[in-house]
Amino acid sequence: MLRLPIYWMCLFFLPAQLATAAEPHVELQDGDRVVFLGGTLVEREQRFGYWETALTLLNADRDLTFRNLGWSGDTVWAESRGIFDSPAVGYRRLIEQVRELQPNVFFLQYGNNEALKGVAELPKFLKQYGKLLDDLQAATEANARFVLLSPTLQTPVIAPEKVVEHNNRLIAAYAKGIQAMAVDRGVSYISALNLLSRYQNVDGANRATDDGVIPNRDGFRLSAKTIFGEVKTSAEHEPLRQAIVLKNRYYFQQWRPQNITYLTGFRKHEQGQNAAELAEFNALIAKQEQRIRELKSPH
C-alpha cells in the first residue's frame, strides 16, 4: 500500500517530462527512524504535531520514531545553525547529529529563504542541496530514503500583493529546480506550493496563516491531510497529538537548550559541567514514545 503521494497540484509550473515522473514512491516501514529537516516551516511543525500525527496514524501498525531537526531561518548551507560560529561549523554539527541519530528516512523542506536571492543563485542552491543529500546519505545507512518537500508560495496577508507576486515567481522556479533534482536522483518529491493559498474563508481571509509565509495551527492541521493523504483524525486522536507535541518539546530542549552557549557552545568552560543533565531528557522522551505507541493503536 502506497502511503505518500508524490505530486499534488501546481504541476502546471513544470515541463511535461517532469510532471509525469512520479516515481519512486515512499512507504514508511516498520522500524523506520524518520528525521524532519529544514527551516522555519519544519521547526514550527513540532509545536503542533499535525504532520507527525498524520504519519503516525497512517502507519499505526508500524513502530516508527520521529525527530525534528528544523531550525528557523535555516538554509541548505546551515546558515542558522552556526549560532556564534560560521555556517560551516553549523553544517558539521548537523551532519554529526544525524550520524548519532542514524535515521533512514528524511523529510526535507528548503528553498523559501534561498529563493529570495533570485533565480541567478538557483544553480548554487541546487548544488549545495545535492551536497547536503550526499552528506546525509554518507552519515547514515546506504539505503536511507529521502522525501523533498517544495518551498511554499506566499499569500498577501501582510506583504503587498506585488511583493508577494515577485517572491512567488522565484519560489516557483526553485520548486521546479528541486523537483527536477528529485527526479534526477530518484527520490520522492511532494509539492507544497499551495500549502497556504488554498485555505480561504468565505470573506476571503486566509485561515491557514497569520503572516502569509508560515502556517498557523489551522494551517498545519489542514495541510497534514493535503500533503500525506486522507487521514481520519478526530477528537479521540487529540491525546495522541498532545503526546507527540510533548515528546518533541522534550527532544528540542535536549538538543537546543536555551542556554546552549553555556552548555555546549563557546562558553561551556563556565557551565559545561551541567551539560550532563541533558541526558536526563532521554527517559522523558522514551515515556512519551511509549504513550504514543499505546494511543495510536485502536482500542
Side-chain angles (χ1 to χ4, degrees), residues 55-290:
L55 287 171
T56 299
L57 290 173
L58 285 169
N59 299 274
D61 59 333
R62 302 173 186 193
D63 188 19
L64 308 173
T65 59
F66 295 88
R67 294 291 183 264
N68 190 309
L69 299 183
W71 197 303
S72 291
D74 205 26
T75 68
V76 291
W77 286 271
E79 291 173 278
S80 294
R81 297 173 192 266
I83 313 178
F84 291 103
D85 297 311
S86 67
V89 174
Y91 188 90
R92 289 197 297 270
R93 289 195 190 111
L94 169 61
I95 300 302
E96 183 56 35
Q97 186 176 20
V98 167
R99 183 175 287 109
E100 293 174 359
L101 290 175
Q102 283 297 296
N104 63 339
V105 179
F106 291 88
F107 284 85
L108 300 98
Q109 199 270 345
Y110 288 101
N112 273 94
N113 293 324
E114 298 92 335
L116 301 183
K117 294 183 178 181
V119 176
E121 298 296 312
L122 178 58
K124 293 181 182 179
F125 163 76
L126 293 175
K127 180 179 179 180
Q128 179 60 29
Y129 205 163
K131 181 181 186 303
L132 175 60
L133 297 181
D134 291 339
D135 290 342
L136 293 173
Q137 186 82 73
T140 57
E141 298 179 0
N143 61 345
R145 291 113 68 200
F146 295 90
V147 181
L148 309 185
L149 278 73
S150 79
T152 58
L153 297 176
Q154 300 177 3
T155 61
V157 175
I158 296 177
E161 190 167 344
K162 288 186 177 180
V163 173
V164 170
E165 290 176 353
H166 169 75
N167 291 344
N168 283 346
R169 284 193 292 271
L170 301 177
I171 291 169
Y174 274 64
K176 178 179 176 181
I178 293 169
Q179 183 175 355
M181 181 179 70
V183 172
D184 183 61
R185 286 176 167 263
V187 302
S188 296
Y189 171 87
I190 298 176
S191 174
L193 277 168
N194 283 342
L195 195 68
L196 303 178
S197 60
R198 63 174 297 167
Y199 301 110
Q200 302 288 333
N201 290 337
V202 176
D203 60 3
N206 194 302
R207 59 187 292 200
T209 178
D210 298 321
D211 60 8
V213 178
I214 300 296
N216 54 25
R217 175 172 176 160
D218 275 347
F220 279 109
R221 177 178 59 82
L222 295 164
S223 65
K225 181 174 67 174
T226 302
I227 294 177
F228 301 115
E230 190 65 34
V231 186
K232 295 182 179 179
T233 58
S234 62
E236 68 178 290
H237 297 122
E238 182 60 15
L240 171 63
R241 187 184 71 86
Q242 292 292 344
I244 288 171
V245 169
L246 184 55
K247 179 266 298 181
N248 287 337
R249 186 182 305 159
Y250 287 147
Y251 182 65
F252 184 83
Q253 291 170 350
Q254 182 184 60
W255 78 278
R256 284 180 62 186
Q258 291 186 6
N259 54 345
I260 189 172
T261 303
Y262 291 90
L263 294 179
T264 61
F266 75 93
R267 299 187 68 171
K268 63 182 179 182
H269 62 280
E270 300 179 40
Q271 299 182 26
Q273 70 276 8
N274 296 323
E277 298 178 5
L278 296 175
E280 296 179 11
F281 279 104
N282 290 330
L284 299 173
I285 294 168
K287 181 179 179 180
Q288 289 306 310
E289 289 187 323
Q290 178 57 37

Side-chain angles (χ1 to χ4, degrees), residues 10-47:
C10 286
L11 293 183
F12 53 83
F13 284 112
L14 302 169
Q17 62 267 32
L18 293 187
T20 58
E23 294 293 339
H25 291 265
V26 169
E27 181 180 0
L28 295 182
Q29 303 169 2
D30 190 49
D32 275 346
R33 302 175 302 280
V34 183
V35 157
F36 293 100
L37 192 58
T40 307
L41 179 71
V42 174
E43 179 183 317
R44 194 73 56 84
E45 201 285 325
Q46 68 186 309
R47 290 190 188 180

